[in-house]
Amino acid sequence: MTFATLGDRSRPAALLIHGMMCIGKDCEPFGQYLAEDYFVIMPTLDGHGGDGTDLLPVEGEVEKLLRYLRENEIGSLALVQGSSMGAEVALALVKGLTERGIPFQRVFLDGGPFFRFPPLFRRFMYRKFRSLAAIFDTDDHEAAYNGMMRHPLLRFLGRDKAEQFEPMIRSMAQERRHYSEQTLRNLVKICYQCELPALPEEVQRRMVFFFSDEEPARKSRGRLLRTYPAADFRDIHGYAHCGYQISHPREYAAMLMK
């Protein structure tokens, strides 16, 4: 796991956790605006950068995030934000912060697929993720971009709004990205074998679950409502999966700060 930062370290800390097959710098489009008021921390999860690691089960990734906070003497967080798969890592991190008594103010979980599906479905999604990974394992940036924009999974996530992903996919395609078999298996586990930790009501009240009203991940909302009835649930209309942060990064950052 590696870390990039933006802003003045003396300011309150905001931790941004990227989505599947992204890296920390993919949070920069909105993170740069947060950096006007916050010290922004953008980890690249294991298995996603060029550091030779494999993605760990979510508990292992959380332990590395907590270790970074401890080693860098960051005693509290103003914001924990996670996108897509990163939202599930962020939720597990909330459990770790709570258990260790590390203060945090708000948690914003954008488009997390908080599902727990049976093994047959997880095997199916593993094959889909493997085909996605193969697209980015090339030095031909244009081929990677075009292949991803045509991929059935992206068309499914975006429905009739897949063009909203264009800036993010263009950024992702600019460098070769390799994902190991272990990383892909843990991607599937994090996304589709998601445990919802028990959290006190006081912690729930600081959590925001944010979805586009058209995205497939929103179907996990009922499960979340039953587990976290005191949390804040917000929908936005007219966007694909995590499309608001991609299409309007400045406005998205303003919403987070508000």
Side-chain angles (χ1 to χ4, degrees), residues 124-183:
F124 171 77
M125 291 309 299
Y126 167 75
R127 292 194 293 270
K128 291 292 184 184
F129 286 0
R130 189 168 58 182
S131 71
L132 278 180
I135 291 173
F136 289 109
D137 202 354
T138 177
D139 292 319
D140 188 336
H141 307 320
E142 197 63 25
Y145 168 78
N146 290 329
M148 185 61 184
M149 291 300 293
R150 292 193 300 264
H151 196 277
L153 182 58
L154 185 118
R155 309 306 298 186
F156 172 72
L157 291 174
R159 305 294 173 89
D160 61 339
K161 300 176 178 63
E163 72 282 353
Q164 292 177 4
F165 294 122
E166 182 175 350
M168 181 184 69
I169 301 303
R170 184 69 71 181
S171 173
M172 293 169 67
Q174 289 308 302
E175 57 187 30
R176 186 174 197 144
R177 300 189 184 187
H178 174 76
Y179 305 94
S180 69
E181 292 296 310
Q182 188 60 49
T183 290

Short mmCIF file of all heavy atoms in Angstrom, two decimals, residues 124-183:
data_model
loop_
_atom_site.label_atom_id
_atom_site.label_comp_id
_atom_site.label_asym_id
_atom_site.label_seq_id
_atom_site.Cartn_x
_atom_site.Cartn_y
_atom_site.Cartn_z
N PHE A 124 -18.97 -16.04 -10.98
CA PHE A 124 -19.32 -15.34 -12.22
C PHE A 124 -18.65 -13.97 -12.27
O PHE A 124 -18.07 -13.56 -13.28
CB PHE A 124 -20.84 -15.20 -12.31
CG PHE A 124 -21.32 -14.31 -13.42
CD1 PHE A 124 -21.33 -14.76 -14.73
CD2 PHE A 124 -21.75 -13.02 -13.15
CE1 PHE A 124 -21.78 -13.93 -15.76
CE2 PHE A 124 -22.20 -12.19 -14.16
CZ PHE A 124 -22.21 -12.66 -15.47
N MET A 125 -18.69 -13.23 -11.16
CA MET A 125 -18.09 -11.89 -11.13
C MET A 125 -16.57 -11.95 -11.18
O MET A 125 -15.93 -11.04 -11.73
CB MET A 125 -18.56 -11.14 -9.88
CG MET A 125 -20.03 -10.76 -9.90
SD MET A 125 -20.55 -9.89 -11.42
CE MET A 125 -19.51 -8.44 -11.37
N TYR A 126 -15.99 -13.02 -10.66
CA TYR A 126 -14.54 -13.18 -10.77
C TYR A 126 -14.14 -13.23 -12.25
O TYR A 126 -13.16 -12.59 -12.66
CB TYR A 126 -14.08 -14.43 -10.05
CG TYR A 126 -12.66 -14.83 -10.38
CD1 TYR A 126 -11.59 -14.13 -9.84
CD2 TYR A 126 -12.41 -15.88 -11.25
CE1 TYR A 126 -10.29 -14.47 -10.16
CE2 TYR A 126 -11.11 -16.23 -11.58
CZ TYR A 126 -10.06 -15.52 -11.02
OH TYR A 126 -8.77 -15.86 -11.36
N ARG A 127 -14.89 -13.95 -13.06
CA ARG A 127 -14.58 -14.03 -14.48
C ARG A 127 -14.73 -12.65 -15.14
O ARG A 127 -13.93 -12.27 -16.00
CB ARG A 127 -15.46 -15.06 -15.17
CG ARG A 127 -15.16 -16.51 -14.75
CD ARG A 127 -15.80 -17.51 -15.68
NE ARG A 127 -17.26 -17.47 -15.58
CZ ARG A 127 -17.96 -18.20 -14.74
NH1 ARG A 127 -17.35 -19.02 -13.88
NH2 ARG A 127 -19.28 -18.13 -14.71
N LYS A 128 -15.74 -11.90 -14.73
CA LYS A 128 -15.94 -10.55 -15.27
C LYS A 128 -14.76 -9.64 -14.89
O LYS A 128 -14.25 -8.88 -15.72
CB LYS A 128 -17.24 -9.95 -14.76
CG LYS A 128 -18.50 -10.62 -15.29
CD LYS A 128 -18.67 -10.36 -16.77
CE LYS A 128 -19.97 -10.94 -17.29
NZ LYS A 128 -20.11 -10.78 -18.76
N PHE A 129 -14.35 -9.70 -13.63
CA PHE A 129 -13.25 -8.86 -13.18
C PHE A 129 -11.95 -9.24 -13.88
O PHE A 129 -11.12 -8.37 -14.19
CB PHE A 129 -13.07 -8.98 -11.66
CG PHE A 129 -14.13 -8.28 -10.85
CD1 PHE A 129 -15.16 -7.59 -11.45
CD2 PHE A 129 -14.09 -8.33 -9.47
CE1 PHE A 129 -16.14 -6.95 -10.71
CE2 PHE A 129 -15.06 -7.70 -8.71
CZ PHE A 129 -16.08 -7.01 -9.33
N ARG A 130 -11.76 -10.52 -14.13
CA ARG A 130 -10.55 -10.96 -14.81
C ARG A 130 -10.50 -10.42 -16.24
O ARG A 130 -9.43 -10.01 -16.72
CB ARG A 130 -10.46 -12.49 -14.82
CG ARG A 130 -9.12 -13.03 -15.32
CD ARG A 130 -8.97 -14.50 -15.05
NE ARG A 130 -10.03 -15.28 -15.66
CZ ARG A 130 -10.16 -16.59 -15.54
NH1 ARG A 130 -9.30 -17.27 -14.80
NH2 ARG A 130 -11.15 -17.23 -16.12
N SER A 131 -11.65 -10.38 -16.90
CA SER A 131 -11.67 -9.82 -18.26
C SER A 131 -11.42 -8.31 -18.23
O SER A 131 -10.79 -7.76 -19.14
CB SER A 131 -13.00 -10.14 -18.95
OG SER A 131 -14.07 -9.41 -18.38
N LEU A 132 -11.89 -7.63 -17.18
CA LEU A 132 -11.59 -6.21 -17.03
C LEU A 132 -10.09 -5.98 -16.83
O LEU A 132 -9.50 -5.09 -17.44
CB LEU A 132 -12.34 -5.63 -15.83
CG LEU A 132 -13.79 -5.22 -15.99
CD1 LEU A 132 -14.31 -4.69 -14.66
CD2 LEU A 132 -13.95 -4.16 -17.06
N ALA A 133 -9.50 -6.79 -15.96
CA ALA A 133 -8.09 -6.62 -15.65
C ALA A 133 -7.23 -6.79 -16.89
O ALA A 133 -6.23 -6.08 -17.08
CB ALA A 133 -7.68 -7.63 -14.59
N ALA A 134 -7.60 -7.71 -17.76
CA ALA A 134 -6.81 -7.95 -18.97
C ALA A 134 -6.78 -6.72 -19.88
O ALA A 134 -5.79 -6.48 -20.58
CB ALA A 134 -7.38 -9.15 -19.73
N ILE A 135 -7.83 -5.93 -19.86
CA ILE A 135 -7.89 -4.73 -20.70
C ILE A 135 -6.79 -3.74 -20.34
O ILE A 135 -6.17 -3.12 -21.21
CB ILE A 135 -9.28 -4.07 -20.58
CG1 ILE A 135 -10.34 -4.96 -21.22
CG2 ILE A 135 -9.29 -2.69 -21.22
CD1 ILE A 135 -11.76 -4.47 -21.00
N PHE A 136 -6.52 -3.59 -19.04
CA PHE A 136 -5.55 -2.59 -18.59
C PHE A 136 -4.12 -3.10 -18.57
O PHE A 136 -3.19 -2.32 -18.34
CB PHE A 136 -5.93 -2.10 -17.19
CG PHE A 136 -7.15 -1.24 -17.17
CD1 PHE A 136 -8.34 -1.71 -16.64
CD2 PHE A 136 -7.13 0.03 -17.72
CE1 PHE A 136 -9.48 -0.92 -16.63
CE2 PHE A 136 -8.26 0.84 -17.72
CZ PHE A 136 -9.43 0.36 -17.17
N ASP A 137 -3.92 -4.37 -18.81
CA ASP A 137 -2.58 -4.96 -18.77
C ASP A 137 -1.91 -4.80 -20.14
O ASP A 137 -1.56 -5.78 -20.81
CB ASP A 137 -2.65 -6.42 -18.35
CG ASP A 137 -1.33 -6.92 -17.78
OD1 ASP A 137 -0.34 -6.15 -17.82
OD2 ASP A 137 -1.29 -8.06 -17.30
N THR A 138 -1.72 -3.55 -20.56
CA THR A 138 -1.14 -3.24 -21.86
C THR A 138 -0.51 -1.85 -21.81
O THR A 138 -0.90 -1.01 -20.99
CB THR A 138 -2.22 -3.27 -22.96
OG1 THR A 138 -1.65 -2.90 -24.22
CG2 THR A 138 -3.37 -2.32 -22.65
N ASP A 139 0.45 -1.62 -22.69
CA ASP A 139 1.04 -0.29 -22.82
C ASP A 139 0.34 0.54 -23.90
O ASP A 139 0.73 1.68 -24.14
CB ASP A 139 2.53 -0.41 -23.17
CG ASP A 139 3.32 -1.00 -22.01
OD1 ASP A 139 3.04 -0.62 -20.85
OD2 ASP A 139 4.21 -1.84 -22.26
N ASP A 140 -0.65 -0.03 -24.55
CA ASP A 140 -1.43 0.68 -25.56
C ASP A 140 -2.58 1.41 -24.86
O ASP A 140 -3.65 0.84 -24.62
CB ASP A 140 -1.97 -0.30 -26.60
CG ASP A 140 -2.63 0.38 -27.79
OD1 ASP A 140 -3.08 1.54 -27.63
OD2 ASP A 140 -2.72 -0.25 -28.86
N HIS A 141 -2.36 2.66 -24.50
CA HIS A 141 -3.32 3.39 -23.68
C HIS A 141 -4.67 3.57 -24.38
O HIS A 141 -5.73 3.48 -23.75
CB HIS A 141 -2.75 4.76 -23.30
CG HIS A 141 -1.40 4.70 -22.68
ND1 HIS A 141 -1.04 3.73 -21.76
CD2 HIS A 141 -0.30 5.49 -22.84
CE1 HIS A 141 0.21 3.92 -21.38
NE2 HIS A 141 0.68 4.97 -22.02
N GLU A 142 -4.62 3.81 -25.67
CA GLU A 142 -5.88 4.03 -26.40
C GLU A 142 -6.69 2.74 -26.48
O GLU A 142 -7.92 2.76 -26.35
CB GLU A 142 -5.59 4.57 -27.80
CG GLU A 142 -6.80 5.20 -28.49
CD GLU A 142 -7.34 6.43 -27.76
OE1 GLU A 142 -6.57 7.08 -27.04
OE2 GLU A 142 -8.54 6.71 -27.93
N ALA A 143 -6.00 1.61 -26.68
CA ALA A 143 -6.69 0.33 -26.72
C ALA A 143 -7.32 0.02 -25.37
O ALA A 143 -8.45 -0.50 -25.30
CB ALA A 143 -5.73 -0.78 -27.12
N ALA A 144 -6.62 0.33 -24.29
CA ALA A 144 -7.17 0.10 -22.94
C ALA A 144 -8.41 0.95 -22.72
O ALA A 144 -9.43 0.47 -22.20
CB ALA A 144 -6.11 0.40 -21.89
N TYR A 145 -8.33 2.21 -23.12
CA TYR A 145 -9.47 3.11 -22.95
C TYR A 145 -10.68 2.61 -23.75
O TYR A 145 -11.79 2.49 -23.23
CB TYR A 145 -9.09 4.52 -23.39
CG TYR A 145 -10.27 5.43 -23.54
CD1 TYR A 145 -10.89 6.00 -22.42
CD2 TYR A 145 -10.80 5.72 -24.79
CE1 TYR A 145 -11.99 6.83 -22.55
CE2 TYR A 145 -11.90 6.55 -24.93
CZ TYR A 145 -12.49 7.09 -23.81
OH TYR A 145 -13.59 7.91 -23.95
N ASN A 146 -10.47 2.30 -25.03
CA ASN A 146 -11.57 1.87 -25.88
C ASN A 146 -12.15 0.53 -25.41
O ASN A 146 -13.37 0.34 -25.42
CB ASN A 146 -11.09 1.75 -27.33
CG ASN A 146 -10.81 3.10 -27.96
OD1 ASN A 146 -11.43 4.10 -27.61
ND2 ASN A 146 -9.85 3.15 -28.87
N GLY A 147 -11.28 -0.39 -25.00
CA GLY A 147 -11.75 -1.68 -24.53
C GLY A 147 -12.61 -1.55 -23.29
O GLY A 147 -13.63 -2.22 -23.14
N MET A 148 -12.20 -0.68 -22.37
CA MET A 148 -12.98 -0.49 -21.15
C MET A 148 -14.30 0.19 -21.44
O MET A 148 -15.34 -0.20 -20.88
CB MET A 148 -12.17 0.33 -20.15
CG MET A 148 -12.84 0.47 -18.79
SD MET A 148 -13.09 -1.12 -17.98
CE MET A 148 -13.99 -0.61 -16.53
N MET A 149 -14.30 1.20 -22.30
CA MET A 149 -15.55 1.92 -22.59
C MET A 149 -16.57 1.02 -23.28
O MET A 149 -17.77 1.26 -23.18
CB MET A 149 -15.26 3.14 -23.44
CG MET A 149 -14.50 4.25 -22.71
SD MET A 149 -15.35 4.91 -21.25
CE MET A 149 -16.78 5.70 -21.99
N ARG A 150 -16.09 -0.04 -23.94
CA ARG A 150 -17.01 -0.98 -24.61
C ARG A 150 -17.36 -2.18 -23.75
O ARG A 150 -18.22 -2.99 -24.14
CB ARG A 150 -16.38 -1.48 -25.92
CG ARG A 150 -16.23 -0.43 -27.01
CD ARG A 150 -15.90 -1.08 -28.34
NE ARG A 150 -14.66 -1.83 -28.29
CZ ARG A 150 -13.47 -1.35 -28.68
NH1 ARG A 150 -13.39 -0.13 -29.15
NH2 ARG A 150 -12.39 -2.10 -28.60
N HIS A 151 -16.73 -2.33 -22.60
CA HIS A 151 -16.90 -3.55 -21.82
C HIS A 151 -18.34 -3.66 -21.28
O HIS A 151 -18.90 -2.67 -20.79
CB HIS A 151 -15.92 -3.58 -20.65
CG HIS A 151 -15.78 -4.92 -20.03
ND1 HIS A 151 -16.67 -5.41 -19.09
CD2 HIS A 151 -14.86 -5.91 -20.23
CE1 HIS A 151 -16.29 -6.62 -18.73
NE2 HIS A 151 -15.20 -6.95 -19.40
N PRO A 152 -18.94 -4.85 -21.35
CA PRO A 152 -20.33 -5.00 -20.90
C PRO A 152 -20.56 -4.61 -19.45
O PRO A 152 -21.62 -4.07 -19.12
CB PRO A 152 -20.61 -6.50 -21.13
CG PRO A 152 -19.65 -6.91 -22.19
CD PRO A 152 -18.43 -6.08 -21.98
N LEU A 153 -19.58 -4.87 -18.56
CA LEU A 153 -19.78 -4.53 -17.16
C LEU A 153 -19.87 -3.02 -16.97
O LEU A 153 -20.71 -2.53 -16.21
CB LEU A 153 -18.65 -5.10 -16.30
CG LEU A 153 -18.77 -4.86 -14.79
CD1 LEU A 153 -20.08 -5.44 -14.25
CD2 LEU A 153 -17.58 -5.46 -14.05
N LEU A 154 -19.04 -2.27 -17.68
CA LEU A 154 -19.12 -0.82 -17.58
C LEU A 154 -20.44 -0.31 -18.16
O LEU A 154 -21.05 0.60 -17.60
CB LEU A 154 -17.94 -0.16 -18.29
CG LEU A 154 -17.91 1.35 -18.10
CD1 LEU A 154 -16.64 1.77 -17.38
CD2 LEU A 154 -18.01 2.09 -19.41
N ARG A 155 -20.87 -0.91 -19.26
CA ARG A 155 -22.16 -0.49 -19.83
C ARG A 155 -23.30 -0.81 -18.87
O ARG A 155 -24.28 -0.06 -18.78
CB ARG A 155 -22.41 -1.19 -21.18
CG ARG A 155 -21.29 -1.10 -22.19
CD ARG A 155 -20.83 0.30 -22.49
NE ARG A 155 -21.88 1.13 -23.08
CZ ARG A 155 -21.68 2.36 -23.52
NH1 ARG A 155 -20.48 2.90 -23.44
NH2 ARG A 155 -22.67 3.06 -24.02
N PHE A 156 -23.18 -1.91 -18.12
CA PHE A 156 -24.20 -2.27 -17.14
C PHE A 156 -24.20 -1.26 -16.00
O PHE A 156 -25.26 -0.79 -15.57
CB PHE A 156 -23.94 -3.68 -16.61
CG PHE A 156 -24.81 -4.07 -15.45
CD1 PHE A 156 -26.16 -4.34 -15.64
CD2 PHE A 156 -24.30 -4.15 -14.17
CE1 PHE A 156 -26.98 -4.70 -14.57
CE2 PHE A 156 -25.09 -4.51 -13.09
CZ PHE A 156 -26.44 -4.78 -13.30
N LEU A 157 -23.02 -0.90 -15.49
CA LEU A 157 -22.93 0.05 -14.39
C LEU A 157 -23.41 1.42 -14.80
O LEU A 157 -24.05 2.14 -14.02
CB LEU A 157 -21.49 0.13 -13.87
CG LEU A 157 -20.95 -1.10 -13.15
CD1 LEU A 157 -19.47 -0.92 -12.85
CD2 LEU A 157 -21.73 -1.36 -11.86
N GLY A 158 -23.10 1.80 -16.05
CA GLY A 158 -23.45 3.14 -16.50
C GLY A 158 -24.82 3.26 -17.13
O GLY A 158 -25.33 4.37 -17.29
N ARG A 159 -25.40 2.11 -17.49
CA ARG A 159 -26.69 2.14 -18.20
C ARG A 159 -26.57 3.08 -19.40
O ARG A 159 -25.69 2.93 -20.23
CB ARG A 159 -27.82 2.52 -17.25
CG ARG A 159 -27.91 1.63 -16.00
CD ARG A 159 -28.29 0.19 -16.34
NE ARG A 159 -28.23 -0.70 -15.20
CZ ARG A 159 -29.24 -0.93 -14.37
NH1 ARG A 159 -30.40 -0.30 -14.51
NH2 ARG A 159 -29.10 -1.79 -13.38
N ASP A 160 -27.44 4.06 -19.51
CA ASP A 160 -27.39 4.98 -20.64
C ASP A 160 -26.50 6.19 -20.35
O ASP A 160 -26.51 7.18 -21.09
CB ASP A 160 -28.79 5.45 -21.02
CG ASP A 160 -29.48 6.19 -19.88
OD1 ASP A 160 -29.07 6.02 -18.71
OD2 ASP A 160 -30.44 6.94 -20.15
N LYS A 161 -25.70 6.12 -19.28
CA LYS A 161 -24.86 7.25 -18.89
C LYS A 161 -23.39 6.84 -18.78
O LYS A 161 -22.62 7.46 -18.05
CB LYS A 161 -25.35 7.82 -17.55
CG LYS A 161 -26.79 8.32 -17.60
CD LYS A 161 -27.27 8.78 -16.25
CE LYS A 161 -28.69 9.32 -16.33
NZ LYS A 161 -29.65 8.26 -16.74
N ALA A 162 -23.00 5.81 -19.50
CA ALA A 162 -21.63 5.31 -19.38
C ALA A 162 -20.59 6.36 -19.79
O ALA A 162 -19.44 6.29 -19.35
CB ALA A 162 -21.46 4.05 -20.22
N GLU A 163 -20.99 7.35 -20.60
CA GLU A 163 -20.04 8.39 -21.01
C GLU A 163 -19.55 9.21 -19.82
O GLU A 163 -18.49 9.85 -19.88
CB GLU A 163 -20.67 9.32 -22.05
CG GLU A 163 -21.75 10.27 -21.54
CD GLU A 163 -23.10 9.60 -21.34
OE1 GLU A 163 -23.25 8.42 -21.72
OE2 GLU A 163 -24.01 10.26 -20.80
N GLN A 164 -20.29 9.17 -18.70
CA GLN A 164 -19.83 9.88 -17.50
C GLN A 164 -18.53 9.30 -16.95
O GLN A 164 -17.80 9.98 -16.23
CB GLN A 164 -20.91 9.85 -16.42
CG GLN A 164 -22.15 10.65 -16.76
CD GLN A 164 -23.23 10.53 -15.69
OE1 GLN A 164 -23.03 9.90 -14.65
NE2 GLN A 164 -24.38 11.12 -15.96
N PHE A 165 -18.23 8.04 -17.28
CA PHE A 165 -17.00 7.41 -16.80
C PHE A 165 -15.77 7.83 -17.60
O PHE A 165 -14.64 7.50 -17.21
CB PHE A 165 -17.12 5.88 -16.87
CG PHE A 165 -18.14 5.30 -15.94
CD1 PHE A 165 -19.19 4.54 -16.42
CD2 PHE A 165 -18.06 5.50 -14.57
CE1 PHE A 165 -20.14 3.98 -15.57
CE2 PHE A 165 -18.99 4.96 -13.71
CZ PHE A 165 -20.04 4.20 -14.21
N GLU A 166 -15.97 8.53 -18.71
CA GLU A 166 -14.87 8.79 -19.63
C GLU A 166 -13.64 9.42 -18.96
O GLU A 166 -12.51 8.93 -19.16
CB GLU A 166 -15.34 9.66 -20.79
CG GLU A 166 -14.25 9.93 -21.81
CD GLU A 166 -14.75 10.70 -23.02
OE1 GLU A 166 -15.98 10.88 -23.16
OE2 GLU A 166 -13.90 11.13 -23.81
N PRO A 167 -13.76 10.49 -18.15
CA PRO A 167 -12.54 11.07 -17.55
C PRO A 167 -11.79 10.08 -16.67
O PRO A 167 -10.55 10.03 -16.69
CB PRO A 167 -13.08 12.25 -16.74
CG PRO A 167 -14.41 12.57 -17.34
CD PRO A 167 -14.97 11.26 -17.81
N MET A 168 -12.52 9.29 -15.89
CA MET A 168 -11.87 8.33 -15.00
C MET A 168 -11.19 7.22 -15.80
O MET A 168 -10.03 6.85 -15.52
CB MET A 168 -12.88 7.72 -14.04
CG MET A 168 -12.26 6.72 -13.06
SD MET A 168 -13.50 5.92 -12.00
CE MET A 168 -14.37 4.90 -13.21
N ILE A 169 -11.87 6.69 -16.81
CA ILE A 169 -11.29 5.61 -17.61
C ILE A 169 -10.09 6.12 -18.39
O ILE A 169 -9.07 5.42 -18.52
CB ILE A 169 -12.34 5.02 -18.57
CG1 ILE A 169 -13.53 4.47 -17.79
CG2 ILE A 169 -11.72 3.92 -19.44
CD1 ILE A 169 -13.19 3.42 -16.77
N ARG A 170 -10.16 7.35 -18.89
CA ARG A 170 -9.02 7.94 -19.59
C ARG A 170 -7.80 8.01 -18.66
O ARG A 170 -6.68 7.69 -19.06
CB ARG A 170 -9.40 9.32 -20.10
CG ARG A 170 -8.33 10.01 -20.93
CD ARG A 170 -8.12 9.36 -22.27
NE ARG A 170 -9.23 9.58 -23.19
CZ ARG A 170 -9.26 9.08 -24.42
NH1 ARG A 170 -8.26 8.32 -24.86
NH2 ARG A 170 -10.30 9.30 -25.21
N SER A 171 -8.03 8.41 -17.43
CA SER A 171 -6.94 8.48 -16.45
C SER A 171 -6.40 7.09 -16.15
O SER A 171 -5.17 6.88 -16.10
CB SER A 171 -7.43 9.14 -15.16
OG SER A 171 -6.45 9.08 -14.15
N MET A 172 -7.28 6.12 -15.94
CA MET A 172 -6.85 4.77 -15.62
C MET A 172 -6.03 4.15 -16.74
O MET A 172 -5.11 3.36 -16.51
CB MET A 172 -8.08 3.89 -15.33
CG MET A 172 -8.82 4.27 -14.07
SD MET A 172 -10.42 3.43 -13.93
CE MET A 172 -9.90 1.72 -13.70
N ALA A 173 -6.36 4.51 -17.99
CA ALA A 173 -5.71 3.89 -19.15
C ALA A 173 -4.33 4.48 -19.45
O ALA A 173 -3.63 3.98 -20.33
CB ALA A 173 -6.61 4.01 -20.37
N GLN A 174 -3.93 5.51 -18.74
CA GLN A 174 -2.67 6.19 -19.05
C GLN A 174 -1.43 5.40 -18.63
O GLN A 174 -0.32 5.74 -19.03
CB GLN A 174 -2.65 7.57 -18.41
CG GLN A 174 -3.60 8.56 -19.06
CD GLN A 174 -3.41 8.65 -20.56
OE1 GLN A 174 -2.32 8.96 -21.06
NE2 GLN A 174 -4.46 8.34 -21.31
N GLU A 175 -1.61 4.40 -17.82
CA GLU A 175 -0.46 3.58 -17.42
C GLU A 175 -0.89 2.13 -17.33
O GLU A 175 -2.05 1.83 -17.05
CB GLU A 175 0.10 4.04 -16.08
CG GLU A 175 -0.92 4.02 -14.95
CD GLU A 175 -0.36 4.64 -13.68
OE1 GLU A 175 0.48 5.54 -13.77
OE2 GLU A 175 -0.80 4.20 -12.60
N ARG A 176 0.03 1.24 -17.60
CA ARG A 176 -0.27 -0.19 -17.54
C ARG A 176 -0.58 -0.58 -16.10
O ARG A 176 0.12 -0.19 -15.16
CB ARG A 176 0.93 -0.98 -18.04
CG ARG A 176 0.66 -2.47 -18.14
CD ARG A 176 1.83 -3.20 -18.78
NE ARG A 176 1.44 -4.51 -19.24
CZ ARG A 176 1.90 -5.09 -20.33
NH1 ARG A 176 2.75 -4.43 -21.11
NH2 ARG A 176 1.51 -6.29 -20.68
N ARG A 177 -1.64 -1.35 -15.91
CA ARG A 177 -2.02 -1.80 -14.58
C ARG A 177 -2.24 -3.31 -14.61
O ARG A 177 -2.98 -3.82 -15.45
CB ARG A 177 -3.30 -1.09 -14.10
CG ARG A 177 -3.12 0.42 -14.02
CD ARG A 177 -4.29 1.12 -13.36
NE ARG A 177 -4.12 2.57 -13.39
CZ ARG A 177 -4.92 3.43 -12.76
NH1 ARG A 177 -5.94 2.97 -12.05
NH2 ARG A 177 -4.71 4.73 -12.83
N HIS A 178 -1.55 -3.99 -13.72
CA HIS A 178 -1.65 -5.45 -13.65
C HIS A 178 -2.31 -5.85 -12.34
O HIS A 178 -1.99 -5.30 -11.28
CB HIS A 178 -0.26 -6.09 -13.73
CG HIS A 178 -0.28 -7.56 -13.51
ND1 HIS A 178 -0.72 -8.45 -14.48
CD2 HIS A 178 0.06 -8.31 -12.43
CE1 HIS A 178 -0.64 -9.68 -14.00
NE2 HIS A 178 -0.18 -9.63 -12.76
N TYR A 179 -3.23 -6.80 -12.41
CA TYR A 179 -3.94 -7.28 -11.22
C TYR A 179 -3.75 -8.79 -11.13
O TYR A 179 -4.12 -9.52 -12.04
CB TYR A 179 -5.43 -6.92 -11.30
CG TYR A 179 -5.65 -5.44 -11.51
CD1 TYR A 179 -5.81 -4.91 -12.79
CD2 TYR A 179 -5.66 -4.57 -10.44
CE1 TYR A 179 -5.98 -3.56 -12.99
CE2 TYR A 179 -5.84 -3.21 -10.62
CZ TYR A 179 -6.00 -2.71 -11.90
OH TYR A 179 -6.16 -1.36 -12.09
N SER A 180 -3.19 -9.24 -10.01
CA SER A 180 -2.91 -10.66 -9.83
C SER A 180 -4.19 -11.44 -9.57
O SER A 180 -5.24 -10.86 -9.26
CB SER A 180 -1.95 -10.85 -8.65
OG SER A 180 -2.62 -10.53 -7.42
N GLU A 181 -4.07 -12.75 -9.67
CA GLU A 181 -5.22 -13.61 -9.39
C GLU A 181 -5.69 -13.43 -7.95
O GLU A 181 -6.90 -13.38 -7.68
CB GLU A 181 -4.85 -15.07 -9.64
CG GLU A 181 -4.58 -15.41 -11.10
CD GLU A 181 -5.83 -15.25 -11.97
OE1 GLU A 181 -6.88 -15.79 -11.60
OE2 GLU A 181 -5.72 -14.56 -13.00
N GLN A 182 -4.75 -13.30 -7.01
CA GLN A 182 -5.13 -13.11 -5.62
C GLN A 182 -5.86 -11.78 -5.42
O GLN A 182 -6.84 -11.70 -4.68
CB GLN A 182 -3.89 -13.16 -4.72
CG GLN A 182 -4.21 -13.17 -3.23
CD GLN A 182 -5.05 -14.37 -2.82
OE1 GLN A 182 -4.71 -15.50 -3.17
NE2 GLN A 182 -6.14 -14.15 -2.11
N THR A 183 -5.38 -10.75 -6.10
CA THR A 183 -6.05 -9.46 -6.02
C THR A 183 -7.47 -9.55 -6.55
O THR A 183 -8.42 -9.04 -5.93
CB THR A 183 -5.25 -8.41 -6.81
OG1 THR A 183 -4.03 -8.13 -6.11
CG2 THR A 183 -6.04 -7.11 -6.97
#
